Amino acid sequence: MRLMPIALSLAIAAGTMASAGFGQQPDDVVDPRSQALVQEAQAHASAGRHNEAIDLLETALAVDPGNRGAYIALGRVAQAQRLPGKAIGFYADALRLEPNDVAALAAQGEAYVQRGAVDRARTNLTRVRSLCGQNCAPADQLAAAITRGPPAELAQSQSQPAPAQPPRRN
């Protein structure tokens, strides 16, 4: 009789621990509906329909916020729209979920090059090579982007001096 409350509390605790992870998926399992939306969005993006792709990718993230592929695809769309700063943010979101995601690191490096931050891109290249070795397609693509350098219009705008401002009148 005196041990009944202890036995009852142990039984409840054991039942709770056994069922705690029962309904949860592992972190690396992506909801199939979210994956299907990402594939559909990639088809729209490759056809140049960026707004439709963005809508589908945002829906994919609403279905499964842990879908790194959706963040990477959003970054690719942002790069296609010549928005490297926004792309870098999406790749950072993917890297928060998995810091060693080689695809996200390489794509972020390409966005750094597009923005003109070649030194940061080289840092990403070093990290990508440390994760996947020397013969790695993402590392080779990032190295080629670094070799090409930033877009010509960015290089021109950085090399031109700022226009002189007229004197102020009081």
Side-chain angles (χ1 to χ4, degrees):
M1 188 69 153
R2 292 180 7 219
L3 297 177
M4 185 61 114
I6 295 172
L8 185 61
S9 62
L10 287 176
I12 291 172
T16 304
M17 286 191 296
S19 65
F22 183 68
Q24 296 178 354
Q25 293 181 342
D27 288 340
D28 58 344
V29 175
V30 177
D31 188 307
R33 296 171 298 169
S34 182
Q35 286 178 331
L37 288 166
V38 170
Q39 289 174 349
E40 187 178 345
Q42 288 172 337
H44 283 285
S46 63
R49 295 187 304 269
H50 300 298
N51 290 333
E52 291 90 345
I54 290 170
D55 290 343
L56 289 168
L57 291 167
E58 288 174 349
T59 303
L61 287 172
V63 170
D64 186 355
N67 187 346
R68 290 190 320 263
Y71 286 113
I72 294 170
L74 275 168
R76 291 284 183 200
V77 171
Q79 278 185 271
Q81 293 177 320
R82 296 179 183 248
L83 299 170
K86 193 171 187 178
I88 290 167
F90 286 128
Y91 299 135
D93 290 339
L95 290 168
R96 272 193 275 293
L97 295 172
E98 174 55 53
N100 294 327
D101 188 328
V102 173
L105 283 167
Q108 186 182 48
E110 291 176 25
Y112 280 141
V113 171
Q114 188 179 11
R115 191 168 190 185
V118 178
D119 290 336
R120 285 188 175 184
R122 285 191 184 106
T123 303
N124 276 33
L125 178 61
T126 303
R127 189 149 172 229
V128 168
R129 286 218 166 114
S130 72
L131 291 170
C132 72
Q134 293 296 322
N135 295 328
C136 176
D140 295 341
Q141 290 173 348
L142 177 53
I146 291 171
T147 302
R148 283 190 307 271
E153 60 270 7
L154 180 66
Q156 275 184 342
S157 68
Q158 288 179 348
S159 66
Q160 293 177 353
Q165 295 201 352
R168 288 185 167 192
R169 293 185 185 182
N170 292 342

